[in-house]
């Protein structure tokens, strides 16, 4: 079924340009390194939720969805993985492989997380509590929502 009703959460122009890597503070000493993140300071939203991905089998893809209103910040807390972001037209790939920077994702961006290294840990900060209604998991629905189909 194809809907002709304008989607209420179509992204602002330049959604992909709003995806960006953000460097985080590093406090280093002979005792090791420390990085911290303050909501609204180092990431452009108040953090309401934290979750992490781990024990991801080789070859697995995480993500494969967009969020209607959620903003997120992704960090490779250990190891590495790639984030493929798309606005339905263009695609960009961000490689995360250090724990002192991360990727900011605004709302309405499709993301696939791929190429997890063995033992990697993906740390995610989110602007809202978990809400399944905020997900768009169907790619065709996403393409219609952003006017790409
Ligand atoms: P999902 O966000 O689809 O994971 P990923 O994008 O990493 O592949 O979530 C996977 C499952 O976990 C899904 O059934 C919902 C559940 N979940 C929660 O219950 N709370 C959460 O905060 C998150 C992120 C997921």
């Amino acid at each position: 079924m194809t809907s002709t009703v304008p989607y209420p959460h179509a992204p602002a122009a330049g959604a992909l340009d709003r995806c960006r890597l953000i460097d985080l503070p590093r406090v280093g000493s002979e005792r090791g390194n420390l990085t911290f993140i303050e909501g609204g300071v180092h990431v452009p939203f108040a953090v309401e939720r934290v979750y992490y991905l781990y024990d991801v089998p080789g070859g697995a893809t995480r993500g494969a969805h967009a969020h209607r209103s959620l903003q997120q910040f992704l960090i490779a807390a250990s190891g590495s993985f790639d984030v493929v972001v798309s606005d339905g037209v263009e695609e960009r790939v961000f490689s995360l492989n250090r724990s002192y920077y991360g990727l900011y994702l605004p709302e309405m961006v499709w993301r696939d997380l791929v190429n997890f290294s063995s033992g990697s840990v993906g740390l995610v900060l989110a602007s809202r509590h978990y809400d399944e209604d905020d997900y768009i998991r169907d790619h065709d629905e996403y393409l219609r929502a952003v006017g790409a189909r």
Side-chain angles (χ1 to χ4, degrees):
M1 193 186 82
T2 304
S3 170
T4 55
V5 179
Y7 200 81
H9 295 286
L16 278 197
D17 289 335
R18 294 175 61 209
C19 300
R20 61 192 169 94
L21 295 172
I22 297 176
D23 286 321
L24 298 168
R26 273 191 280 175
V27 183
S29 76
E30 66 283 352
R31 296 177 298 128
N33 297 324
L34 180 153
T35 283
F36 57 93
I37 308 166
E38 295 181 348
V41 177
H42 305 105
V43 295
F45 56 86
V47 178
E48 276 198 7
R49 178 166 52 113
V50 176
Y51 65 94
Y52 36 98
L53 304 167
Y54 54 98
D55 293 344
V56 179
T61 296
R62 305 290 314 206
H65 61 253
H67 284 283
R68 299 176 201 280
S69 63
L70 190 74
Q71 301 171 70
Q72 292 180 304
F73 186 68
L74 283 58
I75 305 150
S78 185
S80 62
F81 57 91
D82 295 333
V83 186
V84 184
V85 295
S86 165
D87 61 2
V89 178
E90 193 190 334
E91 209 170 79
R92 292 183 194 167
V93 182
F94 293 91
S95 293
L96 301 182
N97 53 26
R98 293 284 186 273
S99 41
Y100 51 78
Y101 72 89
L103 175 64
Y104 168 71
L105 295 181
E107 69 284 354
M108 289 303 283
V109 169
W110 190 271
R111 85 290 308 273
D112 292 301
L113 279 57
V114 297
N115 295 333
F116 284 85
S117 67
S118 174
S120 58
V121 177
L123 180 63
V124 184
L125 313 187
S127 62
R128 302 285 301 276
H129 288 181
Y130 173 73
D131 175 11
E132 185 59 37
D133 290 342
D134 190 66
Y135 283 74
I136 301 178
R137 295 189 183 274
D138 182 277
H139 195 245
D140 285 337
E141 181 189 351
Y142 173 75
L143 293 178
R144 287 195 298 274
V146 295
R149 173 164 292 178

